[in-house]
Amino acid sequence: MALPVDIEALDKAFSGIGVDEKSLISILTNSNEEHKRSLRKGSSKLFIEDENGFERWDQSSIKILKHQFNRFRDAVVLSLLHPWERDARLIEKAIRKGPKHYNVIVEVACTRSSDQLLGARKAYHSLFHHSIEEHLTHIKGRERKLLVALVSAYRYEGTGVNEDVAKSEAQILYEAINNGDKNKLLDHEDAIMILATRSKQHLQALYRHYSQSYGKTLAQDLEGEGILKDTVECLCTPQTYFTRVLEAAVKEDADEESKRALTRVIVTQKEQLVQEGFVPNKIQDILLGLYKDFLLASIASGDIK
Amino acid sequence: MATVSAPKQVSVKEDAEALRKACQGWGTDEKAIIAVLGRRNAAQRRQIRHVYEEIYQEDLIKRLESELSGHFEKAVYRWILDPPDRDAVLANVELKKSGNKHHVIVEISCTKNPEELLAIRRAYHARYKRSLEEEVAYHTKGDTRRLLVALVSAFRYYGEEINTTLAKSEAKKLHEAIKDKKFGNEDVIRILGTRSIAQLQATFNCYREQEGTSITKNLPKDSSDEYIAMLRMAVRCLKDPKKYFEKVLRRSIEGIGTDEDALTRVIVTRAEKDLKEIKELYHKRNNVPLDKAVDKETSGDYKDMLLTLLGNEV
């Protein structure tokens, strides 16, 4: 008979993000057939009683387990790939998977350096025989204009901001958001031009002027505007964006896509993550197995150049 | 092919000394300047500037700017710069002018290969502490802005693969836009701004097959609408750069007066690329060699400089 503690351990081995490989080895290699049968009977999450008299593995659990076992693999691959290829593949996948994933495109386009983004564009050519812009033009949504513009940017990265221009452009954005039709924001040419062509330093100055002039942050004013808010955060306050993504990943009811973000963000941002408070404390508790070892080690080594 | 005849081996030190000598004293020995600079390729010119600065502790370009004047000075200044830097300068000058047709921006974004355009964008960063696209966005508006920003931001796929089905459908889309006079619509901007050159060529060919005339013929000529004129220019550059430049040269010379800016721009920017083929096109079209036309229509040191860049001994 399987002890309740074993049944619990089996469930637990699959109930975080990643898989507790050590625990599985210890439970399963020490089980004879009878033991395993009672494990199956005891685990209502993974098995259901089949009418033909056996405990059948629940279909949806198989899918979940596949994701869980693949996390370590994905972390390894993402970590090993050349950053250009990595980012090109992230973008291509996001385009393919649809609107819910467009934030990944924004993330890559706006949080990488100009030369890193350029490298991703080159890698995209090699891998997919088209430019990112070309593939983006096939998406039907209203986000297209913004995404094409963001991905095409080769922003100036030096210092030196014209504060007057930053202030007046903050006003343009304010008026676009507050006086215009909020639904038409994604078509607002001036707003897109500002966000897609100005240097990050300029946009950060603009962000400051916005708060000073209007008493709320640009991000706050874009609450609910999905991809526009992501854009502004990635360009002006990337820590806010990444923290939000990581916290969504470790939430109780996080979906698969949110959880995948964990791998992506930790592997691609590990240098930045060394800062305190960036990574939710929950991560220690919710990660499992080799996947956990890999991610925590990534964060720990984040300041090794 | 290039028309500039730069010897393989040069002594940049001797060149620097010759240039120094040409600038000393009361006058300037323009012929000596032309004889050296007009016969050096980009790498050699760069080395000469470097050595000159090392030996004489001053910027050769600044020295030449102060010694020379007029169209000759403009030609020498543009010629001596590194090609990406030169294009960045030309773009900036054009953007600061009002009421212009954006020749330079269209030319650099539609006749250069992706790596060259990138080099120009980098040079623009270094020189003007801003990106080319933000500058273009700031100085233009409406359809013009949308097209130009798309063109300068493009990083086109460089491969030769063509999707014929796509070419046919995009040729149709372009035709519909032209027919409905919606020249600035999303399809037009998208197709011209993102497709690879090979794919665009295929699209233009399909257009011709479908409509019986070339797309350029269907775009209104001599339109007073700045955007349409620019669109036409972009299509012509993407379709056949050499033919486009031949026409710019022809227009700059024919009629009363000469458009020195255009003449200088084409000769200086293409002398190390494909000016030879452009010359051949010019000769075929006009029954007179370009060199002869330049000889007739220009004068003085400016003329000598152009003729030297065209490969002549003056």
Side-chain angles (χ1 to χ4, degrees), chain B residues 171-196:
Chain B
K172 265 210 183 68
K173 290 208 171 94
L174 288 175
H175 180 70
E176 270 158 30
I178 293 175
K179 203 165 47 104
D180 296 339
K181 302 220 193 306
K182 298 239 164 60
F183 299 105
N185 84 3
E186 280 213 43
D187 282 332
V188 173
I189 311 267
R190 172 179 63 77
I191 294 168
L192 294 183
T194 65
R195 293 299 177 203
S196 72

Side-chain angles (χ1 to χ4, degrees), chain A residues 78 90 103-104 107 241 260-268:
Chain A
L78 209 60
L90 283 173
N103 70 300
V104 177
E107 187 181 303
Y241 169 83
R260 293 237 181 110
L262 209 51
T263 311
R264 184 182 77 241
V265 170
I266 290 183
V267 168
T268 64

Side-chain angles (χ1 to χ4, degrees), chain A residues 48-66:
Chain A
I48 54 180
E49 191 69 40
D50 185 272
E51 62 194 18
N52 278 321
F54 66 100
E55 309 82 33
R56 196 181 76 223
W57 195 300
D58 174 47
Q59 266 305 110
S60 58
S61 300
I62 296 180
K63 200 172 176 202
I64 294 174
L65 278 197
K66 212 171 91 168

Side-chain angles (χ1 to χ4, degrees), chain A residues 205-216:
Chain A
L206 187 159
Y207 196 88
R208 279 193 303 274
H209 282 290
Y210 198 99
S211 304
Q212 279 166 16
S213 305
Y214 307 114
K216 47 194 165 151

Side-chain angles (χ1 to χ4, degrees), chain A residues 10-21 24 64-73 256 259 262-263 285-293 295:
Chain A
L10 182 66
D11 272 348
K12 197 150 178 264
F14 294 131
S15 299
I17 308 185
V19 164
D20 189 344
E21 293 92 351
L24 289 172
I64 294 174
L65 278 197
K66 212 171 91 168
H67 293 316
Q68 293 282 49
F69 274 102
N70 285 342
R71 294 195 205 286
F72 178 59
R73 175 201 74 184
E256 179 56 30
K259 289 182 187 161
L262 209 51
T263 311
D285 308 323
I286 205 170
L287 293 180
L288 291 172
L290 290 174
Y291 181 63
K292 173 181 183 175
D293 295 341
L295 289 195

Side-chain angles (χ1 to χ4, degrees), chain A residues 118 121-122 125 129 131 133-134 137-138 144-145 152-156 189-190 193 197-198, chain B residues 115 118 121-122 125 129 131 133-134 138 145-146 153 155-157 161 186 190 194-195:
Chain A
L118 196 59
R121 292 170 84 178
K122 289 186 186 169
H125 282 185
H129 302 285
S131 60
E133 308 93 279
E134 281 185 274
T137 59
H138 287 301
R144 183 172 76 195
K145 261 194 220 159
S152 308
Y154 188 50
R155 299 176 201 263
Y156 175 60
E189 305 254 334
D190 287 344
M193 283 296 163
T197 65
R198 290 298 188 197
Chain B
E115 286 294 335
L118 264 173
R121 290 169 84 176
R122 277 197 201 101
H125 280 185
K129 313 286 181 235
S131 66
E133 59 267 31
E134 72 183 291
Y138 189 69
R145 180 169 70 175
R146 280 194 296 133
S153 309
F155 187 50
R156 300 177 198 269
Y157 176 58
E161 296 99 304
E186 280 213 43
R190 172 179 63 77
T194 65
R195 293 299 177 203

Side-chain angles (χ1 to χ4, degrees), chain A residues 160-169 201-202 205-206 208-209:
Chain A
V161 169
N162 185 326
E163 296 287 339
D164 290 332
V165 175
K167 191 163 184 212
S168 78
E169 291 187 344
Q201 285 75 5
H202 181 99
L206 187 159
R208 279 193 303 274
H209 282 290

Side-chain angles (χ1 to χ4, degrees), chain A residues 64-230:
Chain A
I64 294 174
L65 278 197
K66 212 171 91 168
H67 293 316
Q68 293 282 49
F69 274 102
N70 285 342
R71 294 195 205 286
F72 178 59
R73 175 201 74 184
D74 292 343
V76 168
V77 170
L78 209 60
S79 172
L80 195 51
L81 282 177
H82 190 291
W84 294 358
E85 178 171 357
R86 177 197 73 199
D87 287 345
R89 289 192 184 277
L90 283 173
I91 291 177
E92 192 268 343
K93 197 162 178 205
I95 296 176
R96 240 189 312 122
K97 294 187 98 176
K100 287 213 180 75
H101 301 256
Y102 291 165
N103 70 300
V104 177
I105 303 174
V106 171
E107 187 181 303
V108 174
C110 297
T111 65
R112 310 305 193 241
S113 76
S114 292
D115 280 327
Q116 283 171 340
L117 177 57
L118 196 59
R121 292 170 84 178
K122 289 186 186 169
Y124 202 96
H125 282 185
S126 304
L127 295 166
F128 306 111
H129 302 285
H130 283 89
S131 60
I132 303 179
E133 308 93 279
E134 281 185 274
H135 275 176
L136 277 174
T137 59
H138 287 301
I139 70 180
K140 306 279 181 233
R142 294 170 48 241
E143 306 92 340
R144 183 172 76 195
K145 261 194 220 159
L146 177 65
L147 291 177
V148 171
L150 291 177
V151 134
S152 308
Y154 188 50
R155 299 176 201 263
Y156 175 60
E157 291 183 315
T159 52
V161 169
N162 185 326
E163 296 287 339
D164 290 332
V165 175
K167 191 163 184 212
S168 78
E169 291 187 344
Q171 186 176 2
I172 293 174
L173 289 182
Y174 179 80
E175 277 160 16
I177 297 170
N178 292 282
N179 300 344
D181 184 352
K182 228 177 178 180
N183 287 329
K184 294 252 175 67
L185 268 180
L186 283 170
D187 292 312
H188 196 285
E189 305 254 334
D190 287 344
I192 295 185
M193 283 296 163
I194 292 169
L195 292 174
T197 65
R198 290 298 188 197
S199 74
K200 289 180 186 170
Q201 285 75 5
H202 181 99
L203 290 169
Q204 283 157 14
L206 187 159
Y207 196 88
R208 279 193 303 274
H209 282 290
Y210 198 99
S211 304
Q212 279 166 16
S213 305
Y214 307 114
K216 47 194 165 151
T217 70
L218 180 51
Q220 281 167 339
D221 239 0
L222 286 170
E223 196 59 54
E225 294 305 319
I227 219 173
L228 274 169
K229 183 178 180 205
D230 290 339

